[in-house]
Amino acid sequence: MKKSQTQTQLSSSPLKQTIAVASIAAGIQFGWALQLSLLTPYVQLLGIPHKWASLIWLCGPISGMLVQPIVGYHSDRCESRFGRRRPFIAAGALLVVIAVVLIGYAADIGEILGDRVDSTPKSHAIAVFAVGFWILDVANNMLQGPCRALLADLSGNSAKKTRTANSLFSFFMAVGNVLGFAAGAFAHLHDAFPFTVTEACDVYCVNLKSCFFFSILILMSLTTFALWYVDEKRWSSTETVTEVNGGEEDGEIKEEVTAPLKVVRVPLFGELFSAVKDMNRPMVMLLLVTCLSWIAWFPFLLFDTDWMGREVYGGDSVGNVDDKARRVYNKGVHAGALGLMLNSVVLGVTSLGLEWLARGVGGVKRLWGIVNFILAFCLGMTVLITKVAESNRRGSAVLETVVSSSPPVGVKIGALALFALLGVPLAITYSIPFALASIFSSSSGAGQGLSLGVLNLAIVVPQMVVSVGAGPFDEMFGGGNIPGFVLAAVAAAVSGVLALTVLPSPPPEADVLKVSTVGGH
């Protein structure tokens, strides 16, 4: 009797290597947190019109839709002596450095090119900023995709270790968020970088430069250590085939030979289209649930601090800096930043306990469904908090009392508690979909990089839809953020139902360990 069995890299790597790669997420997310907390005043400093600003913010989903599948495709096939994923991670980190320098020094470069310091808009600075911002989004996508794919490679075909790796990645994202929001809130960080103070840069610009320099230090330190410490074997288009010759009495004789792996060369977008068209049912259901989840998340993620400043605190972003409504709005935005920090802390703690939570509720798909209902509940609670805050302001106006610049203590506590509670479903959203994509792609024989790139489409498309359609949709119902939040709550509830009913459960650990993958992985 004779049989052959194709073997691939099924063994997993030590947990220390997984932690080293996952820690890169802290450096990536540190930069994202800085964008959320500091780029708005910087954009106002440069004088970017609102219609241009919306186009610049669209670069995130557009670059994600294009870059991650391209990088995933080529990283699945990279035969560099440094490994498949590490060259792309290194290139992404270097691009982050270039982008951050362009963004931080946009005003200075604009002045050299002819912008006047005392007038806006600064057209040359805007052009430099836009180029840097697009490069930054491209670089972040170059980093995240290969990092997650490398985590899947290091986990072998162990479903448990894959979930653990993605949980660690989510945890370090939370660490990066906390550090980034803290750095953005610290107004004197630029004292550590006195060379950032220039004639063309005011205090917002100087602080932005300093924070980004700090982010470069963190990202490059973590990336350099991970790339040095993690031993990624060189991949080639050959595989090991074990020939097993069975005898009647003498047992089995195993003989290993190396044979060429049949790799069909297909153009990138042809393979991407084929990957989507020929996707198995588990991946289709995963994409559907992921898409609905992010349709629910993006309205809040994009407008959470605006909701605090506008609906909860009753301020207005329009007007001079000295206007009372503008000051109240800014106070609400700062309170929202505090809420985001609480959210990040809860996210990190939840990420560490994800395995325990999954076992407690009976599996990862049930956990995902439950937290989507929690997301729907929290989004619905924004309506109640808003109505209570508005009622308090109306009551103060009727009684002709002095309206406080802050809402009642109970409203503030409720809003901050909502931010914190949302850290639980956000931790699940940051980890379980990627773990399931890795598991399902291993079961189907697809490459990790390309599969994660396809999953990324279910994230960036909702972001593009929300970025373009949220404003007009809110205007249809009188403006404000509540209409979008209500629609998001409905999407979250539908996503929860689908996660519990149509999303397949991942294979048992024993079955996953028997899966052999071919092609890119």
Side-chain angles (χ1 to χ4, degrees):
M1 178 179 177
K2 182 178 180 178
K3 62 181 178 178
S4 65
Q5 178 182 0
T6 300
Q7 294 180 335
T8 56
Q9 185 180 354
L10 297 180
S11 59
S12 57
S13 299
L15 180 62
K16 292 181 180 179
Q17 293 192 8
T18 299
I19 293 174
V21 175
S23 68
I24 298 176
I28 299 172
Q29 205 65 22
F30 188 99
W32 279 117
L34 292 179
Q35 291 184 59
L36 292 174
S37 59
L38 293 181
L39 281 189
T40 298
Y42 191 50
V43 165
Q44 294 173 349
L45 167 70
L46 298 180
I48 297 180
H50 179 70
K51 60 181 179 180
W52 291 9
S54 63
L55 295 177
I56 290 173
W57 284 103
L58 275 175
C59 72
I62 292 175
S63 65
M65 183 171 60
L66 297 176
V67 173
Q68 282 214 17
I70 292 174
V71 171
Y73 174 89
H74 289 290
S75 72
D76 282 340
R77 290 155 178 76
C78 180
E79 298 187 31
S80 168
R81 64 188 180 91
F82 299 107
R84 288 193 294 173
R85 318 296 183 186
R86 291 194 296 177
F88 293 92
I89 295 174
L94 291 176
L95 281 177
V96 168
V97 174
I98 295 173
V100 164
V101 171
L102 287 175
I103 292 174
Y105 281 89
D108 301 289
I109 297 173
E111 183 188 14
I112 295 173
L113 296 177
D115 288 341
R116 293 177 58 88
V117 177
D118 56 351
S119 64
T120 55
K122 297 177 172 62
S123 56
H124 294 95
I126 290 173
V128 174
F129 171 84
V131 171
F133 196 78
W134 278 76
I135 294 175
L136 183 60
D137 276 314
V138 169
N140 281 326
N141 281 293
M142 280 189 67
L143 274 169
Q144 290 194 66
C147 277
R148 287 192 182 273
L150 181 54
L151 288 174
D153 295 341
L154 294 174
S155 301
N157 282 328
S158 168
K160 179 179 179 181
K161 290 186 177 180
T162 299
R163 293 194 301 268
T164 300
N166 281 279
S167 298
L168 288 169
F169 194 87
S170 180
F171 167 74
F172 281 109
M173 288 178 71
V175 172
N177 273 333
V178 172
L179 294 176
F181 288 128
F186 186 55
H188 299 287
L189 187 62
H190 60 272
D191 292 340
F193 302 94
F195 59 87
T196 58
V197 180
T198 60
E199 183 182 357
C201 230
D202 71 355
V203 64
Y204 291 112
C205 175
V206 170
N207 206 43
L208 178 74
K209 282 184 191 176
S210 303
C211 289
F212 271 136
F213 276 121
F214 194 54
S215 75
I216 289 176
L217 181 63
I218 293 177
L219 177 62
M220 295 306 295
S221 298
L222 294 172
T223 302
T224 302
F225 175 76
L227 296 183
W228 167 80
Y229 181 68
V230 175
D231 182 22
E232 186 187 12
K233 294 182 180 180
R234 181 175 182 175
W235 180 85
S236 63
S237 54
T238 59
E239 64 182 2
T240 300
V241 177
T242 302
E243 299 288 346
V244 181
N245 298 301
E248 294 181 359
E249 302 290 335
D250 55 351
E252 295 181 339
I253 302 174
K254 297 183 179 181
E255 179 183 357
E256 291 188 354
V257 297
T258 300
L261 177 64
K262 295 181 180 180
V263 179
V264 180
R265 296 293 180 183
V266 182
L268 165 60
F269 291 103
E271 180 158 336
L272 182 60
F273 175 76
S274 177
V276 175
K277 184 183 68 172
D278 299 332
M279 204 177 298
N280 56 18
R281 185 177 182 276
M283 277 297 294
V284 172
M285 294 298 102
L286 175 62
L287 292 184
L288 178 60
V289 177
T290 302
C291 182
L292 287 170
S293 295
W294 283 105
I295 288 177
W297 271 114
F298 277 123
F300 188 79
L301 293 178
L302 295 179
F303 301 106
D304 46 14
T305 54
D306 183 71
W307 170 68
M308 284 290 286
R310 193 181 305 274
E311 277 91 352
V312 178
Y313 274 68
D316 195 342
S317 60
V318 179
N320 297 323
V321 177
D322 294 331
D323 289 347
K324 181 180 179 181
R326 180 69 175 272
R327 292 199 304 270
V328 172
Y329 175 82
N330 289 335
K331 191 172 182 179
V333 169
H334 288 136
L338 174 62
L340 289 173
M341 186 177 296
L342 295 175
N343 176 277
S344 299
V345 172
V346 174
L347 190 156
V349 174
T350 304
S351 299
L352 293 178
L354 190 147
E355 282 292 322
W356 178 81
L357 288 173
R359 288 195 299 268
V361 300
V364 291
K365 88 161 197 172
R366 184 174 297 178
L367 175 62
W368 195 9
I370 291 172
V371 298
N372 279 337
F373 287 119
I374 295 176
L375 172 59
F377 170 78
C378 290
L379 291 171
M381 286 299 294
T382 61
V383 179
L384 177 61
I385 293 173
T386 298
K387 295 302 180 183
V388 172
E390 290 176 347
S391 175
N392 176 75
R393 290 194 293 272
R394 284 196 301 267
S396 299
V398 170
L399 297 175
E400 298 182 350
T401 58
V402 178
V403 180
S404 173
S405 60
S406 300
V409 175
V411 172
K412 289 192 290 186
I413 293 176
L416 293 177
L418 185 145
F419 271 91
L421 180 58
L422 281 171
V424 176
L426 191 58
I428 307 304
T429 306
Y430 278 162
S431 57
I432 284 182
F434 297 95
L436 290 178
S438 297
I439 295 169
F440 292 156
S441 65
S442 295
S443 301
S444 63
Q448 296 285 359
L450 187 61
S451 297
L452 294 176
V454 172
L455 178 67
N456 191 59
L457 295 178
I459 300 174
V460 298
V461 171
Q463 185 179 357
M464 293 174 65
V465 172
V466 172
S467 298
V468 174
F473 179 80
D474 289 336
E475 287 298 324
M476 290 172 55
F477 297 91
N481 296 300
I482 295 303
F485 289 177
V486 172
L487 182 63
V490 174
V494 174
S495 177
V497 171
L498 293 179
L500 293 174
T501 56
V502 303
L503 183 67
S505 297
E509 184 71 21
D511 293 336
V512 173
L513 290 173
K514 296 177 182 178
V515 174
S516 296
T517 61
V518 295
H521 181 48

